[in-house]
Amino acid sequence: MGTERMQKCTTSMVKCFKQCRKKYYLEYIEELKPLKTPKALELGTLYHRGLELLLLDMSIPDIAVMLENEQRNACEESGVEYDPIPVGIALEMVAAFCRESGYKFWKIKKVEERFEVSIGYGKRLCGKIDAVMQHEGKDLLIEHKSTSCWTTNGAEYLHNLLWDEQSTNYLYAYREITGKFARGIMYCIVEKPTIKPLQATPIEKRRYKQNGEIYGNQRERDETAEEYLQRVAEWYAEKPRVHIHFIYRTPEEIERQIADLHLVFKDMAESEKNATFYRNPAACSIIECPYRPKCLEDNPETDCLFVKKKSRNEELL
Protein backbone atom coordinates (compact mmCIF):
# COMPACT_ATOMS: atom_id res chain seq x y z
CA MET A 1 0.00 0.00 0.00
CA GLY A 2 1.64 3.32 1.01
CA THR A 3 2.42 5.35 -2.10
CA GLU A 4 1.54 2.43 -4.38
CA ARG A 5 -1.58 2.88 -6.45
CA MET A 6 -2.58 -0.77 -6.08
CA GLN A 7 -3.72 -1.94 -2.66
CA LYS A 8 -3.11 -5.65 -2.06
CA CYS A 9 -4.29 -7.46 1.07
CA THR A 10 -4.89 -11.02 2.25
CA THR A 11 -7.71 -12.25 4.47
CA SER A 12 -5.17 -12.63 7.29
CA MET A 13 -4.20 -8.96 6.93
CA VAL A 14 -7.85 -7.89 7.05
CA LYS A 15 -8.53 -9.97 10.15
CA CYS A 16 -5.43 -8.60 11.86
CA PHE A 17 -6.40 -5.00 11.04
CA LYS A 18 -9.91 -5.47 12.43
CA GLN A 19 -8.53 -7.16 15.53
CA CYS A 20 -5.89 -4.55 16.40
CA ARG A 21 -4.44 -1.79 14.24
CA LYS A 22 -1.22 -1.66 16.26
CA LYS A 23 -0.62 -5.36 15.68
CA TYR A 24 -1.34 -4.82 11.99
CA TYR A 25 1.25 -2.04 11.91
CA LEU A 26 3.95 -4.15 13.55
CA GLU A 27 3.24 -7.27 11.49
CA TYR A 28 2.44 -5.85 8.04
CA ILE A 29 3.90 -2.32 7.92
CA GLU A 30 7.06 -2.84 9.99
CA GLU A 31 7.02 -6.46 8.76
CA LEU A 32 8.21 -7.88 12.08
CA LYS A 33 7.66 -11.38 13.41
CA PRO A 34 8.59 -12.98 16.74
CA LEU A 35 12.02 -14.60 16.68
CA LYS A 36 10.45 -17.73 18.12
CA THR A 37 7.19 -18.77 16.49
CA PRO A 38 4.38 -19.55 18.98
CA LYS A 39 4.00 -23.34 19.23
CA ALA A 40 0.39 -23.32 17.98
CA LEU A 41 1.34 -21.43 14.81
CA GLU A 42 4.47 -23.54 14.31
CA LEU A 43 2.47 -26.78 14.52
CA GLY A 44 -0.23 -25.49 12.16
CA THR A 45 2.38 -24.48 9.59
CA LEU A 46 4.11 -27.86 9.75
CA TYR A 47 0.81 -29.71 9.41
CA HIS A 48 -0.23 -27.65 6.38
CA ARG A 49 3.13 -28.28 4.76
CA GLY A 50 2.81 -32.00 5.43
CA LEU A 51 -0.64 -32.14 3.81
CA GLU A 52 0.58 -30.15 0.82
CA LEU A 53 3.27 -32.77 0.24
CA LEU A 54 0.80 -35.61 0.85
CA LEU A 55 -1.66 -34.31 -1.75
CA LEU A 56 1.27 -34.06 -4.16
CA ASP A 57 1.65 -37.85 -3.73
CA MET A 58 4.66 -37.84 -1.41
CA SER A 59 4.89 -40.77 1.02
CA ILE A 60 4.79 -40.20 4.79
CA PRO A 61 8.41 -41.37 5.29
CA ASP A 62 9.54 -38.86 2.65
CA ILE A 63 7.34 -36.17 4.23
CA ALA A 64 9.00 -36.87 7.58
CA VAL A 65 12.45 -36.30 6.08
CA MET A 66 11.32 -33.14 4.28
CA LEU A 67 9.65 -31.60 7.35
CA GLU A 68 12.60 -32.33 9.61
CA ASN A 69 15.09 -30.84 7.17
CA GLU A 70 12.99 -27.73 6.59
CA GLN A 71 12.40 -27.25 10.32
CA ARG A 72 16.09 -27.68 11.14
CA ASN A 73 16.99 -25.07 8.52
CA ALA A 74 14.35 -22.67 9.87
CA CYS A 75 15.67 -23.10 13.42
CA GLU A 76 19.23 -22.51 12.24
CA GLU A 77 18.21 -19.31 10.44
CA SER A 78 16.42 -18.06 13.56
CA GLY A 79 19.19 -19.12 15.92
CA VAL A 80 16.95 -21.35 18.04
CA GLU A 81 17.45 -24.96 19.08
CA TYR A 82 15.68 -27.61 17.04
CA ASP A 83 12.83 -29.35 18.86
CA PRO A 84 11.68 -32.70 17.36
CA ILE A 85 8.27 -32.60 19.05
CA PRO A 86 6.43 -30.18 16.66
CA VAL A 87 7.53 -32.19 13.60
CA GLY A 88 6.59 -35.44 15.35
CA ILE A 89 3.11 -34.17 16.22
CA ALA A 90 2.58 -32.79 12.71
CA LEU A 91 3.43 -36.20 11.26
CA GLU A 92 0.90 -37.90 13.58
CA MET A 93 -1.70 -35.37 12.41
CA VAL A 94 -0.90 -36.14 8.77
CA ALA A 95 -1.10 -39.88 9.51
CA ALA A 96 -4.52 -39.39 11.12
CA PHE A 97 -5.65 -37.45 8.05
CA CYS A 98 -4.47 -40.36 5.86
CA ARG A 99 -6.46 -42.91 7.87
CA GLU A 100 -9.67 -40.98 8.37
CA SER A 101 -10.28 -38.45 5.59
CA GLY A 102 -10.69 -40.77 2.60
CA TYR A 103 -8.48 -38.43 0.58
CA LYS A 104 -7.26 -41.24 -1.68
CA PHE A 105 -10.66 -41.19 -3.36
CA TRP A 106 -10.61 -37.44 -3.97
CA LYS A 107 -10.09 -36.12 -7.49
CA ILE A 108 -7.54 -33.43 -6.68
CA LYS A 109 -7.22 -30.77 -9.39
CA LYS A 110 -4.89 -28.25 -7.74
CA VAL A 111 -2.82 -27.90 -4.57
CA GLU A 112 -1.79 -24.60 -2.94
CA GLU A 113 -3.54 -22.46 -5.56
CA ARG A 114 -2.42 -18.83 -5.23
CA PHE A 115 -4.73 -16.05 -6.32
CA GLU A 116 -4.85 -12.29 -6.73
CA VAL A 117 -8.23 -10.89 -7.74
CA SER A 118 -9.84 -7.47 -7.93
CA ILE A 119 -12.54 -6.37 -5.49
CA GLY A 120 -12.81 -2.91 -7.01
CA TYR A 121 -10.67 -0.21 -8.55
CA GLY A 122 -7.13 -0.31 -7.14
CA LYS A 123 -8.00 -3.05 -4.62
CA ARG A 124 -6.88 -6.66 -4.89
CA LEU A 125 -7.48 -9.63 -2.63
CA CYS A 126 -4.61 -12.14 -2.40
CA GLY A 127 -4.38 -15.58 -0.87
CA LYS A 128 -3.73 -19.26 -1.33
CA ILE A 129 -6.34 -22.02 -1.49
CA ASP A 130 -5.13 -25.25 0.12
CA ALA A 131 -6.54 -27.51 -2.61
CA VAL A 132 -9.30 -27.90 -5.21
CA MET A 133 -11.10 -31.16 -5.95
CA GLN A 134 -13.84 -32.24 -8.33
CA HIS A 135 -16.99 -33.41 -6.58
CA GLU A 136 -20.13 -34.55 -8.41
CA GLY A 137 -19.10 -32.69 -11.54
CA LYS A 138 -18.34 -29.40 -9.77
CA ASP A 139 -15.30 -27.92 -8.10
CA LEU A 140 -15.03 -28.01 -4.32
CA LEU A 141 -12.42 -26.02 -2.41
CA ILE A 142 -10.50 -27.76 0.38
CA GLU A 143 -9.19 -25.98 3.46
CA HIS A 144 -7.19 -27.58 6.25
CA LYS A 145 -7.70 -26.55 9.88
CA SER A 146 -6.33 -27.74 13.21
CA THR A 147 -7.62 -27.05 16.70
CA SER A 148 -6.97 -28.09 20.30
CA CYS A 149 -10.46 -27.11 21.51
CA TRP A 150 -12.54 -29.68 19.61
CA THR A 151 -13.19 -32.04 22.53
CA THR A 152 -14.24 -29.19 24.84
CA ASN A 153 -16.16 -26.95 22.44
CA GLY A 154 -16.37 -28.35 18.93
CA ALA A 155 -19.82 -26.82 18.38
CA GLU A 156 -18.54 -23.30 18.99
CA TYR A 157 -15.54 -23.94 16.75
CA LEU A 158 -17.86 -24.95 13.91
CA HIS A 159 -20.12 -21.95 14.54
CA ASN A 160 -17.15 -19.59 14.26
CA LEU A 161 -15.93 -21.40 11.17
CA LEU A 162 -19.36 -21.08 9.57
CA TRP A 163 -19.14 -17.29 9.72
CA ASP A 164 -15.44 -17.02 8.97
CA GLU A 165 -14.93 -14.48 6.20
CA GLN A 166 -12.16 -16.59 4.69
CA SER A 167 -14.77 -18.97 3.26
CA THR A 168 -16.59 -16.21 1.39
CA ASN A 169 -13.40 -14.52 0.23
CA TYR A 170 -12.01 -17.74 -1.21
CA LEU A 171 -15.23 -18.67 -2.99
CA TYR A 172 -15.32 -15.18 -4.51
CA ALA A 173 -11.67 -15.45 -5.55
CA TYR A 174 -12.21 -18.83 -7.18
CA ARG A 175 -15.19 -17.48 -9.11
CA GLU A 176 -13.05 -14.58 -10.35
CA ILE A 177 -10.19 -16.92 -11.34
CA THR A 178 -12.24 -19.54 -13.16
CA GLY A 179 -15.41 -17.71 -14.14
CA LYS A 180 -17.56 -20.33 -12.40
CA PHE A 181 -18.93 -21.02 -8.92
CA ALA A 182 -17.34 -23.64 -6.71
CA ARG A 183 -19.83 -25.93 -4.97
CA GLY A 184 -18.52 -24.81 -1.58
CA ILE A 185 -15.64 -25.40 0.80
CA MET A 186 -14.82 -28.70 2.47
CA TYR A 187 -13.06 -28.06 5.77
CA CYS A 188 -10.84 -30.88 7.01
CA ILE A 189 -10.37 -30.29 10.73
CA VAL A 190 -7.84 -32.31 12.70
CA GLU A 191 -7.58 -32.20 16.48
CA LYS A 192 -4.30 -31.13 18.04
CA PRO A 193 -3.17 -33.27 21.00
CA THR A 194 -4.52 -32.13 24.34
CA ILE A 195 -1.91 -34.17 26.24
CA LYS A 196 1.34 -32.48 27.26
CA PRO A 197 4.84 -33.83 27.92
CA LEU A 198 5.10 -35.14 31.48
CA GLN A 199 7.44 -33.25 33.77
CA ALA A 200 9.47 -34.52 36.72
CA THR A 201 7.82 -34.06 40.11
CA PRO A 202 9.58 -31.25 42.02
CA ILE A 203 11.97 -32.77 44.57
CA GLU A 204 10.23 -31.15 47.53
CA LYS A 205 6.92 -32.74 46.51
CA ARG A 206 8.14 -36.26 45.85
CA ARG A 207 6.94 -39.12 48.05
CA TYR A 208 8.60 -42.53 48.21
CA LYS A 209 7.48 -46.00 49.30
CA GLN A 210 9.28 -47.92 52.00
CA ASN A 211 11.23 -49.84 49.35
CA GLY A 212 12.59 -46.57 47.97
CA GLU A 213 10.38 -46.47 44.86
CA ILE A 214 8.56 -43.26 44.00
CA TYR A 215 4.77 -43.39 43.98
CA GLY A 216 3.27 -44.22 40.59
CA ASN A 217 1.63 -40.83 40.05
CA GLN A 218 4.97 -39.03 40.45
CA ARG A 219 8.06 -38.85 38.25
CA GLU A 220 11.79 -38.65 38.87
CA ARG A 221 12.56 -37.34 35.37
CA ASP A 222 11.01 -35.48 32.47
CA GLU A 223 9.38 -37.51 29.74
CA THR A 224 11.63 -37.81 26.67
CA ALA A 225 10.51 -36.58 23.26
CA GLU A 226 10.31 -40.18 22.04
CA GLU A 227 8.12 -41.23 24.99
CA TYR A 228 5.83 -38.26 24.55
CA LEU A 229 5.41 -38.79 20.81
CA GLN A 230 4.54 -42.44 21.45
CA ARG A 231 1.73 -41.29 23.75
CA VAL A 232 0.63 -38.83 21.05
CA ALA A 233 0.43 -41.69 18.54
CA GLU A 234 -1.69 -43.67 21.01
CA TRP A 235 -3.90 -40.60 21.56
CA TYR A 236 -4.62 -40.39 17.83
CA ALA A 237 -5.34 -44.12 17.70
CA GLU A 238 -7.95 -43.94 20.48
CA LYS A 239 -10.74 -42.55 18.29
CA PRO A 240 -11.31 -40.48 15.12
CA ARG A 241 -9.58 -37.10 15.31
CA VAL A 242 -10.38 -35.78 11.82
CA HIS A 243 -13.70 -34.06 11.11
CA ILE A 244 -15.08 -33.09 7.70
CA HIS A 245 -17.57 -30.23 7.36
CA PHE A 246 -18.96 -28.37 4.36
CA ILE A 247 -19.69 -24.66 4.10
CA TYR A 248 -21.68 -23.07 1.29
CA ARG A 249 -22.36 -19.47 0.28
CA THR A 250 -25.05 -17.99 -1.93
CA PRO A 251 -24.08 -15.44 -4.60
CA GLU A 252 -25.87 -12.79 -2.50
CA GLU A 253 -23.79 -13.62 0.58
CA ILE A 254 -20.61 -13.37 -1.45
CA GLU A 255 -21.56 -9.97 -2.85
CA ARG A 256 -22.39 -8.61 0.63
CA GLN A 257 -19.04 -9.80 1.94
CA ILE A 258 -17.09 -8.21 -0.89
CA ALA A 259 -18.96 -4.92 -0.36
CA ASP A 260 -17.93 -5.02 3.32
CA LEU A 261 -14.38 -5.95 2.36
CA HIS A 262 -14.20 -2.95 0.05
CA LEU A 263 -14.98 -0.68 3.03
CA VAL A 264 -12.35 -2.37 5.21
CA PHE A 265 -9.75 -1.87 2.48
CA LYS A 266 -10.66 1.81 2.48
CA ASP A 267 -10.21 2.01 6.27
CA MET A 268 -6.83 0.26 5.98
CA ALA A 269 -5.62 2.75 3.38
CA GLU A 270 -6.81 5.71 5.48
CA SER A 271 -5.13 4.29 8.58
CA GLU A 272 -1.82 3.99 6.78
CA LYS A 273 -2.13 7.41 5.20
CA ASN A 274 -2.85 9.09 8.56
CA ALA A 275 -0.72 6.77 10.72
CA THR A 276 -3.71 5.92 12.93
CA PHE A 277 -2.61 2.54 14.26
CA TYR A 278 -4.21 2.56 17.69
CA ARG A 279 -4.15 -0.34 20.14
CA ASN A 280 -7.02 -2.67 21.01
CA PRO A 281 -6.31 -4.05 24.53
CA ALA A 282 -9.51 -6.13 24.38
CA ALA A 283 -7.91 -8.33 21.73
CA CYS A 284 -4.96 -9.07 24.05
CA SER A 285 -7.32 -10.17 26.82
CA ILE A 286 -8.61 -13.01 24.64
CA ILE A 287 -5.35 -14.32 23.20
CA GLU A 288 -1.93 -13.17 24.38
CA CYS A 289 -0.35 -11.22 21.56
CA PRO A 290 3.22 -12.10 20.51
CA TYR A 291 3.81 -8.39 19.82
CA ARG A 292 3.05 -7.42 23.43
CA PRO A 293 6.69 -6.45 24.28
CA LYS A 294 6.85 -4.05 21.32
CA CYS A 295 3.33 -2.72 21.73
CA LEU A 296 2.98 -2.09 25.47
CA GLU A 297 6.55 -1.70 26.68
CA ASP A 298 8.09 -0.21 23.53
CA ASN A 299 11.50 -0.95 25.00
CA PRO A 300 14.42 -0.99 22.52
CA GLU A 301 15.80 -3.97 24.39
CA THR A 302 12.85 -6.02 23.08
CA ASP A 303 14.07 -5.59 19.49
CA CYS A 304 16.09 -8.78 19.87
CA LEU A 305 12.81 -10.72 20.25
CA PHE A 306 11.79 -9.93 16.66
CA VAL A 307 13.17 -10.31 13.16
CA LYS A 308 12.21 -8.91 9.77
CA LYS A 309 9.91 -11.12 7.71
CA LYS A 310 11.08 -12.37 4.33
CA SER A 311 8.04 -10.66 2.84
CA ARG A 312 4.87 -8.96 4.00
CA ASN A 313 2.90 -12.19 3.45
CA GLU A 314 5.24 -15.08 4.16
CA GLU A 315 2.35 -17.52 4.00
CA LEU A 316 2.15 -16.89 0.24
CA LEU A 317 5.78 -17.77 -0.43
Side-chain angles (χ1 to χ4, degrees), residues 25-34 291 294 303 306-309:
Y25 171 78
L26 293 170
E27 185 170 356
Y28 293 106
I29 305 301
E30 289 293 312
E31 296 186 10
L32 297 176
K33 69 176 181 179
Y291 295 91
K294 288 288 293 181
D303 290 348
F306 301 88
V307 293
K308 277 282 188 179
K309 297 197 294 185

Side-chain angles (χ1 to χ4, degrees), residues 287-301:
I287 300 177
E288 185 174 350
C289 179
Y291 295 91
R292 186 184 184 95
K294 288 288 293 181
C295 178
L296 295 183
E297 300 168 16
D298 199 20
N299 187 334
E301 294 181 2

Side-chain angles (χ1 to χ4, degrees), residues 198-201 219-224 227:
L198 300 176
Q199 305 295 317
T201 305
R219 298 183 59 86
E220 291 184 305
R221 63 175 178 80
D222 291 345
E223 188 175 36
T224 65
E227 291 169 336

